[in-house]
Each structure stands twice: as structure tokens, then as C-alpha cells.
């Protein structure tokens, strides 16, 4: 696995509900063992982490919905190229290179 695919997989994993459970567990452990260090900075850290997860989840949901709609359009139109129907399985950099080469 290269760094790009690891980052893509990590981004997908952070959109899962259990990522929020990890955040909650981290907050509980922080409050349990280091209550004195939990101040406004600590709260801001947890709030930033939570907002990042919310944004990541919303982006993932929107992307998956868009992909499902595009898949349906490809199935409905029939003669689409098979390799483009599976392009969402590639890394973002590969997709960008392909788009650039096809625009020329």
C-alpha cells in the first residue's frame, strides 16, 4: 500500500460512526485521568476534532449519494465505458491524471 491509498482509506474510516465513539472515549479518559489539564484549550481541541468528524461524515455521505446517482445514470444510458464505471475505485491522483489526459 502506498501513502495515497492509506490516506484515502483513513479518510473513509474517519467517516464511520465508530470514529465518534473513539472521540467520546478519548474525552472520557482525558476527564478521568487528567481533569486538571482539561481547560478551554482542551475543550477547543475536542470541539475541533468533533467538527472535523461531522464534516468528514457529511462529505462522505454526499459523495456516496452522488456516486449512487451517477452509477444509476450510467446503467440507464447503457453504452458507457466500463473502465469509467469503476473509476471511483482508483486513487484521487490517478483520477486527476486521467481527467487531464482526456481533456487534451
Amino acid at each position: 500500500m502506498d501513502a495515497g491509498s492509506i490516506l484515502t482509506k483513513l479518510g473513509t474510516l474517519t467517516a464511520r460512526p465508530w470514529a465518534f465513539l473513539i472521540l467520546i472515549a478519548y474525552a472520557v479518559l482525558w476527564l478521568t485521568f487528567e481533569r486538571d489539564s482539561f481547560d478551554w484549550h482542551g475543550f477547543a481541541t475536542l470541539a475541533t476534532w468533533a467538527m472535523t468528524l461531522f464534516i468528514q461524515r457529511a462529505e462522505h455521505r454526499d459523495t456516496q449519494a452522488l456516486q449512487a446517482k451517477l452509477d444509476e445514470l450510467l446503467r440507464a444510458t447503457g453504452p458507457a465505458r466500463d473502465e469509467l464505471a469503476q473509476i471511483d475505485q482508483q486513487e484521487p491522483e490517478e483520477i486527476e491524471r486521467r481527467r487531464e489526459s482526456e481533456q487534451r
Side-chain angles (χ1 to χ4, degrees):
M1 257 186 175
D2 65 339
S5 62
I6 291 171
L7 290 174
T8 300
K9 185 70 172 168
L10 183 61
T12 304
L13 290 174
T14 59
R16 303 282 186 237
W18 58 264
F20 291 95
L21 295 176
I22 291 173
L23 172 64
I24 292 168
Y26 183 82
V28 168
L29 289 172
W30 190 353
L31 288 170
T32 302
F33 294 108
E34 290 290 331
R35 181 177 285 270
D36 295 338
S37 70
F38 190 78
D39 55 5
W40 285 106
H41 297 287
F43 177 78
T45 299
L46 292 177
T48 301
W49 190 6
M51 290 309 299
T52 302
L53 292 177
F54 282 125
I55 292 168
Q56 179 68 18
R57 181 134 177 96
E59 285 281 326
H60 185 67
R61 182 196 63 234
D62 291 347
T63 300
Q64 292 303 314
L66 184 59
Q67 281 300 130
K69 292 173 185 179
L70 289 172
D71 289 345
E72 180 61 23
L73 286 173
L74 286 172
R75 278 192 296 276
T77 58
R81 294 183 294 176
D82 288 337
E83 66 269 8
L84 286 182
Q86 300 300 321
I87 199 167
D88 57 325
Q89 302 300 320
Q90 296 177 352
E91 292 302 317
E93 295 80 12
E94 294 172 33
I95 296 169
E96 288 171 5
R97 281 192 294 274
R98 181 181 188 111
R99 290 186 68 219
E100 287 172 3
S101 69
E102 288 185 4
Q103 289 176 353
R104 293 181 190 146

